Amino acid sequence: MSSSPDLNIDHIAKLARLALTPEEKAKFAQQLGDVLHHIEQLKKVDVSHVEPTAHAAPVFNVWADDVARPGLPVERALQNAPTQREHMVVVPKVVE
Amino acid sequence: MNYEAVIGLEVHVQVKTRSKIFTRVAAGYGHEPNTLTDPVVLALPGTLPVMNKAALDAIIKAGLLLGCDIAPVCKWDRKNYFYPDSPKNYQISQYDQPICLGGAVEIELPGSARNVMGEHKKIPLTRIHLEEDVGKLNHGTSDSLVDYNRAGTPLMEIVSDPAMHTADEAYAYLTSLRATMIYGGISDCDMEKGQLRCDANISIRPVGETKLGVKVELKNLNSISFVRDGIAHEIKRQIAVLERGGIIVQETRDYDGMTGTSQSLRSKEMAHDYRYFPDPDLMPVKVDDAWKQRLAAECPELPFDKQRRFIADYQLPYTLTSVLVWDRALADYFEEAAKLSGKPQAAGNWIVNDLLRELGNVGRGLSPTSSDAVSGVKPDLQTCRIRPAHIAALVKLVDSGAVLTNAAKEIFVEMFATGETPEVIADRKGLKAAPTDSNELEQWCRDSIAANAKALAEFKAGKDSAINAFKGPVMKAAKGKANPKLVDETLRRLLATG
């Protein structure tokens, strides 16, 4: 199966922040193309008599009351951070 | 060429809940960094979000207050992007099925003078949806620091139609929207705390053109005044670009309210590709009529409706209402004083002129048409020692003539300091109009009439105001403490019989 013409692997890699080699690009373009092809097949199924749904299970209104409870101590919250300062996570300078 | 600006506002309002939107760790502002997190906020593996019922109640209430249609079913979507403010690499939001659709914000534009009501308009809304707030980035010189306390705070995004045309309209829109949210108890809307944030989409087009021009998004408008200034600045900038033959490029600009300038953040050549898809971890929400009705019953009267009612029912002048109605506690305080005193306008005058002055001039700026609506601190009526019953008692003392206006002003200041009733203060400080021995008063009145034959003749000839000429000598004899109402009554009685 060849990759879909709608598939821009460079764009997808950029959105996913992945640096792919040319070989990987070819491989993933093929695999994602197969997925898209499968979706195209699914689109042929007549679903005109089926209610659209956002979820596989017909369950609604799952919630909890607004009662606050203590969270993690800051040391625990930050223990996986590669770098921290002033009890905050240090990340490369990002300005948007 | 004449240009018309087209403005749409995207307003984010934090919902005031105790816990976060998808987990029960506390939500709040001003805490030590990263002390309001838990495994769900930090998106640790294996965690699942659980909806906060109070956040849903709040947005439905907001929608009802603004006349939106509440969708019978809505769902949750993931908005995917990589940025360190979001630990999950997606934000849970609502994409194509928001909870509120349509609706409008009523606004009032500045009137021709401060005491004249301005034009009212309804600015239509596109939608309101609920999402989670993200963490806060603190940018340093070489790196950025992330605090996740804010992440997961329930956040409403209120999107207007591109239906405003001036900076004044945008300002009036925000002021009204903010008051509505505060009235409904939905949010405190403190812009300094980031509880209300505003982005503006602005384009211009030649007058008469129906197609929209290229839009520029203005960010970081962190006070209501900056929103107005930033928009006015952006409209001028775009007109200047076109007039020197340039073209407007679609971009996001950052407005600096302190310097009154803006700069481009990044070109928006390509729309963001957020790859939205339904969040499989959250179930859709169905809103039935019973739920809506329960919340509708909790919805307060909105400021403009209150203003119309105050003008119609209490015959209050516009200027008083425009101060009273923008603060719900102040409006309630007034109504209580108005009812107890039976003299709404007198009660309103004491509250607007004297009470707010004593509260430290803090009442200024509550009106949507005043220039410093944001800086106005809310009067602290809670701790104020003057209660509505005090105002009513004072109004009655003045109305009966037992206390003269100047003495009443003095009583008011004392009352503010001590919380005593006006009667007690008037007695203690000897501020009551002289209780005057009625024989003594009557004698003064007789003397005064006898001494002024000219006024007597005029009065007999039907000139009612001639009676005032007799009052001066009486007040003088009483050393200014006679009850003017009693003096008037006594004079009339004597004039009628004599």
Side-chain angles (χ1 to χ4, degrees), chain B residues 81-94:
Chain B
Y81 68 96
F82 288 91
Y83 201 62
D85 62 6
S86 165
K88 292 195 292 293
N89 290 337
Y90 61 84
Q91 179 189 24
I92 302 175
S93 182
Q94 297 191 294

Side-chain angles (χ1 to χ4, degrees), chain B residues 71-351:
Chain B
V73 180
C74 65
K75 68 173 172 76
W76 309 96
D77 299 285
R78 293 185 179 179
K79 177 181 178 177
N80 299 281
Y81 68 96
F82 288 91
Y83 201 62
D85 62 6
S86 165
K88 292 195 292 293
N89 290 337
Y90 61 84
Q91 179 189 24
I92 302 175
S93 182
Q94 297 191 294
Y95 180 52
D96 56 349
Q97 288 184 34
I99 195 160
C100 305
L101 291 157
V105 175
E106 183 177 4
I107 65 166
E108 179 187 354
L109 293 169
S112 57
R114 242 185 135 72
N115 59 351
V116 178
M117 186 188 283
E119 182 197 351
H120 280 232
K121 273 190 180 180
K122 288 207 165 184
I123 305 298
L125 294 175
T126 309
R127 58 184 277 170
I128 310 176
H129 71 253
L130 192 57
E131 59 189 26
E132 56 180 338
D133 208 343
V134 294
K136 181 146 179 53
L137 287 165
N138 300 284
H139 299 298
T141 44
S142 57
D143 53 23
S144 297
L145 300 174
V146 197
D147 173 9
Y148 290 114
N149 281 353
R150 195 178 70 181
T153 304
L155 190 69
M156 293 187 297
E157 183 173 316
I158 303 169
V159 185
S160 84
D161 284 356
M164 286 168 271
H165 302 289
T166 65
D168 275 344
E169 284 186 354
Y171 179 83
Y173 172 90
L174 265 188
T175 318
S176 175
L177 182 62
R178 177 166 165 267
T180 304
M181 294 300 120
I182 296 173
Y183 253 73
I186 292 157
S187 173
D188 291 332
C189 292
D190 185 334
M191 287 185 88
E192 277 180 22
K193 294 179 182 169
Q195 291 164 346
L196 186 152
R197 313 197 285 271
C198 178
D199 299 332
N201 287 309
I202 304 157
S203 61
I204 60 169
R205 61 187 175 193
V207 171
E209 172 65 60
T210 52
K211 220 173 110 232
L212 289 170
V214 175
K215 76 176 174 190
V216 169
E217 187 181 10
L218 208 55
K219 279 194 178 291
N220 287 329
L221 301 165
N222 49 20
S223 84
I224 297 189
S225 296
F226 285 174
V227 172
R228 179 174 52 194
D229 300 349
I231 290 172
H233 174 269
E234 178 59 22
I235 293 169
K236 268 191 219 155
R237 190 192 68 82
Q238 291 188 16
I239 291 173
V241 168
L242 289 190
E243 286 191 335
R244 63 168 182 264
I247 50 160
I248 310 290
V249 288
Q250 184 170 341
E251 61 179 344
T252 300
R253 298 183 71 88
D254 181 277
Y255 179 71
D256 183 344
M258 304 316 283
T259 58
T261 56
S262 70
Q263 58 167 339
S264 182
L265 284 177
R266 69 204 137 113
S267 274
K268 223 178 177 181
E269 293 130 5
M270 185 177 60
H272 278 273
D273 187 346
Y274 289 122
R275 295 151 292 150
Y276 284 95
F277 65 87
D279 193 315
D281 291 342
L282 287 159
M283 295 301 177
V285 172
K286 270 187 180 167
V287 186
D288 61 14
D289 286 343
W291 189 0
K292 278 191 283 188
Q293 278 159 16
R294 188 173 57 72
L295 291 170
E298 291 173 15
C299 284
E301 177 183 40
L302 288 182
F304 284 126
D305 295 329
K306 205 181 272 295
Q307 184 168 37
R308 284 183 278 266
R309 184 168 61 81
F310 280 8
I311 291 171
D313 291 2
Y314 299 124
Q315 284 83 49
L316 283 198
Y318 167 76
T319 37
L320 283 186
T321 61
S322 67
V323 177
L324 292 172
V325 302
W326 293 97
D327 184 289
R328 191 175 169 182
L330 188 67
D332 290 347
Y333 183 100
F334 158 75
E335 281 215 271
E336 200 181 333
K339 282 177 183 147
L340 290 171
S341 67
K343 299 266 171 189
Q345 184 162 353
N349 278 325
W350 281 112
I351 292 166

Side-chain angles (χ1 to χ4, degrees), chain A residues 11-91:
Chain A
H11 179 56
I12 290 170
K14 194 180 164 207
L15 288 172
R17 302 287 195 274
L18 293 174
L20 300 179
T21 64
E23 294 74 27
E24 286 169 326
K25 278 183 192 172
K27 186 177 163 190
F28 293 137
Q30 171 82 50
Q31 291 180 353
L32 289 171
D34 288 349
V35 173
L36 287 181
H37 183 76
H38 183 63
I39 299 287
E40 288 303 319
Q41 278 186 302
L42 288 176
K43 280 159 92 174
K44 291 183 183 137
V45 180
D46 179 13
V47 291
S48 55
H49 58 288
V50 182
E51 279 278 305
T53 175
H55 206 279
V59 177
F60 298 87
N61 298 2
V62 178
W63 54 52
D65 287 334
D66 182 29
V67 179
R69 62 174 180 227
L72 289 173
V74 61
E75 295 75 20
R76 292 268 289 145
L78 295 178
Q79 74 178 28
N80 289 338
T83 324
Q84 54 173 285
R85 192 168 72 236
E86 298 166 37
H87 283 160
M88 287 183 272
V89 182
V90 178
V91 296

